[in-house]
Amino acid sequence: MKHDYLFRTARILLATLPVWACLAGTVQAATPMKIAHLVPGEAPRGQGAELMAKEVSNDERCNIDARVFPNSQLGGTTDLIENLQTGALEVAILPGSFLVGFQPLIGIMDFPYFWPTDYDKLKTVIESDAMRKLLDTTEEKGVVSLSVWHTGYKSWTANRPLDTVAAYKGLKARVMPSAIIREQDKLLGMQPVAMPFSETYVALQNGAIDTQENPVVTNYLMRFHEVQDYLTLSNHGTLDQVIMVSKLWWDKLDGGCQTAVREAVADGGALTAKLVYKMIDEKALPAIRESGTRVVEVSDENFAAMRDQVLPGVKRFYIEQNGDRGKAIVDAFEDEFSNL
């Protein structure tokens, strides 16, 4: 009898084992997904990041707890990229300019007077094979670049309008850590000055620098119009964001979860672009004008003159720095442009 009892008990335990395994699976701790970026949470990319986090956290294909950390809470650009490479951080949203230090090929994203100034055409390029091949180069450095989020075209702030080539000569310009942008500034006759973004407002205020470039929304959120007399809508380039994940973290996700993350990234990007133009029209430009800062546009003739002054030299510089791989990337994008 005793043996029969033990046998029946063993059968019950074996029969219920799969149930226990399933129950255990449901209570496993969720995989963390920290999403870091540099700007205030109310910025379009901040809201895009929140949507991405919400969708991933609620997707049944993943067991992920995604949380957003805005305003450089998890460190500056170098910290974020290094933490992606080591797996200490899962996701970072950063302008392409800040990736150049670890993957110089990304410098093409900083090309001035190169990208379509019509957003619908730019969106086609962002989703092209040429962009996908460029983004794939970051995997060599331990970072998977999933997508690009559009956050607006660049403009200049200064105490004079910057709508002609001659207007730039002799100015001191705050420059991001990008060799391409330094070369751009030199070709315009300016002196590039490297400094952290957080110090830019005070530097403009006290005259340590004369000008800086950023999309309209960023200029508005950073309140540069408080210390600058002019905003020039030059549309001379983009400062779009690269959505990067740690390769060490990404490779541990199964295919279904990777798909869920990609879909959430796409939704976050669509929301970001929508909010960028909504904020420009409804908040940024009205507030900048009301502050007394004059908003200046660049004529087609002056835009062409600035492009001829800068773009050929920037291309040469990029190809000299990156060799055949750089030339192939330039050619691939120009092929995409010819089909727009």
Side-chain angles (χ1 to χ4, degrees):
M1 291 292 292
K2 183 176 180 181
H3 291 300
D4 289 343
Y5 170 77
L6 292 173
F7 179 71
R8 287 196 303 273
T9 303
R11 285 176 57 189
I12 293 171
L13 290 172
L14 288 171
T16 58
L17 184 58
V19 176
W20 291 349
C22 291
L23 289 173
T26 63
V27 297
Q28 286 180 349
T31 300
M33 179 178 172
K34 300 182 293 297
I35 304 170
H37 63 84
L38 306 179
V39 297
E42 67 266 27
R45 82 191 75 160
Q47 296 184 57
E50 290 290 351
L51 176 62
M52 177 173 70
K54 180 179 178 181
E55 289 190 2
V56 171
S57 295
N58 293 334
D59 198 301
E60 294 181 354
R61 290 170 290 180
C62 293
N63 181 25
I64 284 179
D65 177 21
R67 301 185 183 185
V68 181
F69 296 84
N71 260 340
S72 304
Q73 289 180 15
L74 299 185
T77 54
T78 301
D79 301 318
L80 298 186
I81 292 173
E82 289 178 352
N83 287 337
L84 286 175
Q85 292 173 310
T86 63
L89 175 66
E90 291 76 39
V91 185
I93 303 173
L94 290 172
S97 303
F98 293 111
L99 280 64
V100 176
F102 83 105
Q103 178 47 282
L105 291 167
I106 298 293
I108 195 171
M109 293 183 68
D110 288 330
F111 273 24
Y113 308 101
F114 181 71
W115 303 97
T117 54
D118 176 272
Y119 171 58
D120 289 334
K121 292 180 178 180
L122 178 64
K123 186 173 183 290
T124 298
V125 175
I126 286 174
E127 296 170 352
S128 70
D129 289 341
M131 183 63 79
R132 183 69 264 157
K133 289 176 182 176
L134 174 68
L135 295 180
D136 285 347
T137 65
T138 66
E139 293 197 35
E140 303 165 9
K141 309 298 182 178
V143 172
V144 177
S145 296
L146 297 181
S147 185
V148 172
W149 285 3
H150 178 61
T151 46
Y153 291 96
K154 288 182 181 179
S155 56
W156 292 98
T157 66
N159 287 328
R160 66 191 191 206
L162 299 182
D163 57 343
T164 66
V165 172
Y168 294 84
K169 188 172 180 60
L171 296 182
K172 298 186 294 295
R174 182 258 172 177
V175 66
M176 288 178 285
S178 166
I180 294 296
I181 297 179
R182 285 197 298 272
E183 189 68 14
Q184 164 200 279
D185 290 358
K186 291 176 183 177
L187 289 166
L188 283 169
M190 296 193 292
Q191 176 187 342
V193 179
M195 69 172 54
F197 188 45
S198 59
E199 298 176 11
T200 305
Y201 181 100
V202 172
L204 291 168
Q205 187 177 42
N206 64 25
I209 57 173
D210 303 302
T211 184
Q212 62 83 39
E213 56 177 342
N214 261 296
V216 171
V217 167
T218 303
N219 290 327
Y220 163 67
L221 291 172
M222 299 306 294
R223 309 186 71 83
F224 293 144
H225 54 280
E226 295 178 345
V227 292
Q228 299 272 264
D229 294 336
Y230 288 87
L231 170 70
T232 301
L233 301 177
S234 49
N235 292 341
H236 61 284
T238 66
L239 193 61
D240 290 341
Q241 312 299 307
V242 181
I243 315 306
M244 301 173 289
V245 301
S246 166
K247 192 173 189 307
L248 292 172
W249 176 79
W250 180 253
D251 288 346
K252 293 177 183 177
L253 302 181
D254 63 35
C257 189
Q258 287 184 351
T259 298
V261 172
R262 288 186 185 278
E263 291 173 359
V265 168
D267 290 344
L271 177 64
T272 296
K274 178 181 177 180
L275 293 177
V276 162
Y277 290 103
K278 180 180 175 66
M279 185 173 284
I280 288 173
D281 292 338
E282 297 181 5
K283 289 185 177 181
L285 285 180
I288 289 170
R289 287 190 171 105
E290 287 171 10
S291 74
T293 295
R294 293 184 61 185
V295 178
V296 178
E297 296 188 11
V298 177
S299 69
D300 291 343
E301 181 182 359
N302 286 344
F303 184 92
M306 288 187 274
R307 180 190 61 217
D308 294 344
Q309 176 77 15
V310 175
L311 183 55
V314 164
K315 279 187 189 179
R316 285 194 299 271
F317 178 83
Y318 178 81
I319 292 171
E320 287 171 1
Q321 295 293 309
N322 294 287
D324 290 342
R325 292 184 77 189
K327 185 177 186 306
I329 287 171
V330 172
D331 291 345
F333 278 110
E334 291 184 334
D335 286 343
E336 295 286 350
F337 299 158
S338 68
N339 294 320
L340 294 175

